[in-house]
Protein backbone atom coordinates (compact mmCIF):
# COMPACT_ATOMS: atom_id res chain seq x y z
CA UNK A 1 0.00 0.00 0.00
CA UNK A 2 2.87 2.36 0.80
CA UNK A 3 4.42 1.77 -2.64
CA UNK A 4 1.14 2.74 -4.30
CA UNK A 5 1.06 6.10 -2.52
CA UNK A 6 4.56 6.90 -3.78
CA UNK A 7 3.52 5.97 -7.32
CA UNK A 8 0.64 8.41 -7.16
CA UNK A 9 2.96 11.17 -5.96
CA UNK A 10 5.56 10.42 -8.64
CA UNK A 11 2.84 10.35 -11.29
CA UNK A 12 1.58 13.72 -10.13
CA UNK A 13 5.06 15.23 -10.41
CA UNK A 14 5.54 13.74 -13.85
CA UNK A 15 2.31 15.47 -14.91
CA UNK A 16 3.46 18.77 -13.38
CA UNK A 17 6.83 18.70 -15.14
CA UNK A 18 5.48 17.29 -18.43
CA UNK A 19 4.29 20.75 -19.45
CA UNK A 20 7.88 21.96 -19.18
CA UNK A 21 9.31 19.39 -21.61
CA UNK A 22 8.60 21.40 -24.80
CA UNK A 23 10.23 24.46 -23.21
CA UNK A 24 13.29 22.41 -22.25
CA UNK A 25 13.51 21.01 -25.78
CA UNK A 26 13.16 24.49 -27.26
CA UNK A 27 15.86 25.81 -24.93
CA UNK A 28 18.29 23.00 -25.79
CA UNK A 29 17.65 23.38 -29.52
CA UNK A 30 18.04 27.14 -29.38
CA UNK A 31 21.28 26.82 -27.41
CA UNK A 32 22.61 24.38 -30.02
CA UNK A 33 21.70 26.74 -32.86
CA UNK A 34 23.31 29.68 -31.06
CA UNK A 35 26.50 27.66 -30.54
CA UNK A 36 26.44 26.66 -34.21
CA UNK A 37 26.20 30.34 -35.14
CA UNK A 38 29.26 31.20 -33.06
CA UNK A 39 27.34 32.56 -30.07
CA UNK A 40 28.85 30.24 -27.43
CA UNK A 41 29.51 33.13 -25.07
CA UNK A 42 25.89 34.27 -25.17
CA UNK A 43 24.70 30.73 -24.52
CA UNK A 44 27.11 30.37 -21.62
CA UNK A 45 26.09 33.77 -20.23
CA UNK A 46 22.41 32.74 -20.26
CA UNK A 47 23.20 29.44 -18.57
CA UNK A 48 25.15 31.26 -15.84
CA UNK A 49 22.25 33.68 -15.32
CA UNK A 50 19.90 30.68 -15.18
CA UNK A 51 22.06 28.94 -12.57
CA UNK A 52 22.35 32.09 -10.45
CA UNK A 53 18.58 32.74 -10.51
CA UNK A 54 17.96 29.07 -9.78
CA UNK A 55 20.13 29.17 -6.66
CA UNK A 56 18.42 32.35 -5.46
CA UNK A 57 14.93 31.02 -6.06
CA UNK A 58 15.64 27.69 -4.37
CA UNK A 59 17.24 29.49 -1.43
CA UNK A 60 14.29 31.84 -0.96
CA UNK A 61 11.35 29.70 -2.10
CA UNK A 62 12.19 26.24 -0.81
CA UNK A 63 12.06 26.90 2.96
CA UNK A 64 8.66 28.64 3.06
CA UNK A 65 6.93 26.79 0.19
CA UNK A 66 8.64 23.39 0.04
CA UNK A 67 8.19 21.40 -3.15
CA UNK A 68 5.91 24.08 -4.66
CA UNK A 69 8.78 26.55 -4.29
CA UNK A 70 11.14 24.14 -6.04
CA UNK A 71 8.70 23.52 -8.90
CA UNK A 72 8.25 27.28 -9.28
CA UNK A 73 12.02 27.75 -9.39
CA UNK A 74 12.42 25.11 -12.09
CA UNK A 75 9.65 26.63 -14.22
CA UNK A 76 10.90 30.21 -13.84
CA UNK A 77 14.49 29.27 -14.68
CA UNK A 78 13.60 27.15 -17.70
CA UNK A 79 11.35 29.86 -19.08
CA UNK A 80 13.99 32.52 -18.39
CA UNK A 81 16.76 30.58 -20.12
CA UNK A 82 14.59 29.73 -23.13
CA UNK A 83 13.37 33.31 -23.52
CA UNK A 84 16.88 34.77 -23.31
CA UNK A 85 18.19 32.27 -25.85
CA UNK A 86 15.25 32.82 -28.21
CA UNK A 87 15.59 36.58 -27.95
CA UNK A 88 19.26 36.33 -28.96
CA UNK A 89 18.44 33.94 -31.81
CA UNK A 90 15.76 36.27 -33.16
CA UNK A 91 18.15 39.21 -32.93
CA UNK A 92 21.03 37.62 -34.83
CA UNK A 93 18.99 35.70 -37.40
CA UNK A 94 16.23 38.19 -38.29
CA UNK A 95 13.79 35.31 -37.77
CA UNK A 96 10.16 36.40 -37.80
CA UNK A 97 7.47 34.54 -35.88
CA UNK A 98 3.81 34.66 -36.85
CA UNK A 99 2.14 34.36 -33.45
CA UNK A 100 -1.08 32.70 -34.59
CA UNK A 101 0.12 30.28 -37.27
CA UNK A 102 3.48 29.45 -35.65
CA UNK A 103 2.49 29.23 -31.98
CA UNK A 104 -1.21 29.49 -31.13
CA UNK A 105 -2.64 27.37 -33.97
CA UNK A 106 -0.25 24.43 -33.44
CA UNK A 107 -0.96 24.41 -29.70
CA UNK A 108 -4.72 24.53 -30.28
CA UNK A 109 -4.37 21.89 -33.00
CA UNK A 110 -2.58 19.42 -30.74
CA UNK A 111 -5.07 19.97 -27.93
CA UNK A 112 -7.97 19.50 -30.36
CA UNK A 113 -6.44 16.40 -31.96
CA UNK A 114 -5.72 14.68 -28.65
CA UNK A 115 -9.18 15.57 -27.33
CA UNK A 116 -10.90 14.35 -30.49
CA UNK A 117 -8.79 11.18 -30.51
CA UNK A 118 -9.84 10.48 -26.93
CA UNK A 119 -13.49 11.10 -27.83
CA UNK A 120 -13.24 8.76 -30.85
CA UNK A 121 -11.67 6.03 -28.73
CA UNK A 122 -14.35 6.43 -26.08
CA UNK A 123 -17.18 6.49 -28.64
CA UNK A 124 -16.02 3.25 -30.24
CA UNK A 125 -15.34 1.81 -26.78
CA UNK A 126 -11.67 1.25 -27.55
CA UNK A 127 -10.05 0.44 -24.23
CA UNK A 128 -6.98 2.40 -23.32
CA UNK A 129 -4.15 0.02 -22.70
CA UNK A 130 -0.43 0.06 -23.01
CA UNK A 131 -0.31 -2.60 -25.68
CA UNK A 132 1.79 -1.77 -28.71
CA UNK A 133 -1.20 -1.80 -31.06
CA UNK A 134 -3.24 0.56 -28.83
CA UNK A 135 -0.36 3.01 -28.45
CA UNK A 136 0.54 2.95 -32.16
CA UNK A 137 -3.08 3.37 -33.26
CA UNK A 138 -3.53 6.27 -30.81
CA UNK A 139 -0.40 7.96 -32.12
CA UNK A 140 -1.45 7.51 -35.75
CA UNK A 141 -4.97 8.87 -35.14
CA UNK A 142 -3.57 11.86 -33.22
CA UNK A 143 -1.01 12.61 -35.94
CA UNK A 144 -3.61 12.46 -38.71
CA UNK A 145 -5.97 14.72 -36.75
CA UNK A 146 -3.09 17.09 -35.91
CA UNK A 147 -2.19 17.36 -39.60
CA UNK A 148 -5.83 18.06 -40.50
CA UNK A 149 -6.11 20.80 -37.87
CA UNK A 150 -2.81 22.35 -38.97
CA UNK A 151 -4.07 22.47 -42.56
CA UNK A 152 -7.42 23.94 -41.46
CA UNK A 153 -5.63 26.73 -39.55
CA UNK A 154 -3.23 27.39 -42.44
CA UNK A 155 -0.25 26.58 -40.24
CA UNK A 156 1.13 24.29 -42.94
CA UNK A 157 1.50 25.65 -46.45
CA UNK A 158 1.85 23.69 -49.66
CA UNK A 159 5.54 24.65 -49.67
CA UNK A 160 5.95 23.18 -46.17
CA UNK A 161 4.31 19.98 -47.32
CA UNK A 162 6.54 19.74 -50.41
CA UNK A 163 9.62 20.32 -48.26
CA UNK A 164 8.55 17.62 -45.81
CA UNK A 165 7.75 15.01 -48.48
CA UNK A 166 11.00 15.93 -50.23
CA UNK A 167 12.90 14.70 -47.20
CA UNK A 168 11.76 11.16 -47.94
CA UNK A 169 12.43 11.21 -51.67
CA UNK A 170 15.58 9.53 -52.79
CA UNK A 171 18.26 11.87 -54.03
CA UNK A 172 19.22 11.46 -57.71
CA UNK A 173 22.89 11.98 -56.83
CA UNK A 174 23.19 8.81 -54.76
Amino acid sequence: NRVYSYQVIVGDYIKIFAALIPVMYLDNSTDAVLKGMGEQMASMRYNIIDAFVSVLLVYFLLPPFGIIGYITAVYVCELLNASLSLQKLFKISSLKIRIFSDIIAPILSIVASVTLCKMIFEYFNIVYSFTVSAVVSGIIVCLVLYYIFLRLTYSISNEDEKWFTGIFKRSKDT
Side-chain angles (χ1 to χ4, degrees):
N1 192 16
R2 188 173 189 179
V3 172
Y4 176 73
S5 66
Y6 287 124
Q7 289 173 343
V8 171
I9 291 171
V10 170
D12 291 339
Y13 289 125
I14 289 172
K15 289 176 189 175
I16 289 169
F17 284 113
L20 199 55
I21 291 172
V23 176
M24 296 171 96
Y25 176 78
L26 178 66
D27 180 40
N28 283 332
S29 300
T30 306
D31 279 352
V33 170
L34 285 174
K35 290 174 186 172
M37 296 177 80
E39 294 290 335
Q40 297 90 339
M41 293 302 289
S43 181
M44 184 178 72
R45 184 172 48 251
Y46 302 147
N47 287 324
I48 290 171
I49 291 168
D50 172 35
F52 179 72
V53 171
S54 179
V55 168
L56 286 177
L57 288 175
V58 168
Y59 182 79
F60 288 109
L61 295 179
L62 195 61
F65 301 108
I67 192 68
I68 300 299
Y70 176 73
I71 292 169
T72 302
V74 171
Y75 265 83
V76 167
C77 289
E78 282 298 329
L79 290 168
L80 173 67
N81 197 337
S83 63
L84 289 172
S85 297
L86 277 172
Q87 183 181 19
K88 181 68 173 181
L89 181 62
F90 290 150
K91 184 178 179 182
I92 65 171
S93 69
S94 303
L95 184 64
K96 302 289 185 236
I97 295 287
R98 300 167 301 175
I99 298 295
F100 180 78
S101 61
D102 292 341
I103 297 172
I104 295 171
I107 291 171
L108 292 176
S109 295
I110 195 65
V111 169
S113 64
V114 170
T115 303
L116 188 56
C117 180
K118 183 177 179 184
M119 291 169 60
I120 291 168
F121 274 45
E122 288 174 356
Y123 180 78
F124 289 108
N125 205 16
I126 299 172
V127 179
Y128 289 108
S129 65
F130 290 108
T131 63
V132 173
S133 60
V135 171
V136 169
S137 63
I139 291 171
I140 290 170
V141 170
C142 281
L143 283 174
V144 168
L145 291 171
Y146 184 55
Y147 171 76
I148 291 168
F149 285 121
L150 287 177
R151 289 298 286 194
L152 289 173
T153 59
Y154 301 103
S155 294
I156 294 179
S157 67
N158 290 335
E159 288 180 10
D160 296 331
E161 198 170 279
K162 287 177 186 174
W163 173 82
F164 182 74
T165 56
I167 292 172
F168 300 102
K169 291 182 180 175
R170 188 173 181 177
S171 175
K172 294 179 182 179
D173 296 337
T174 56

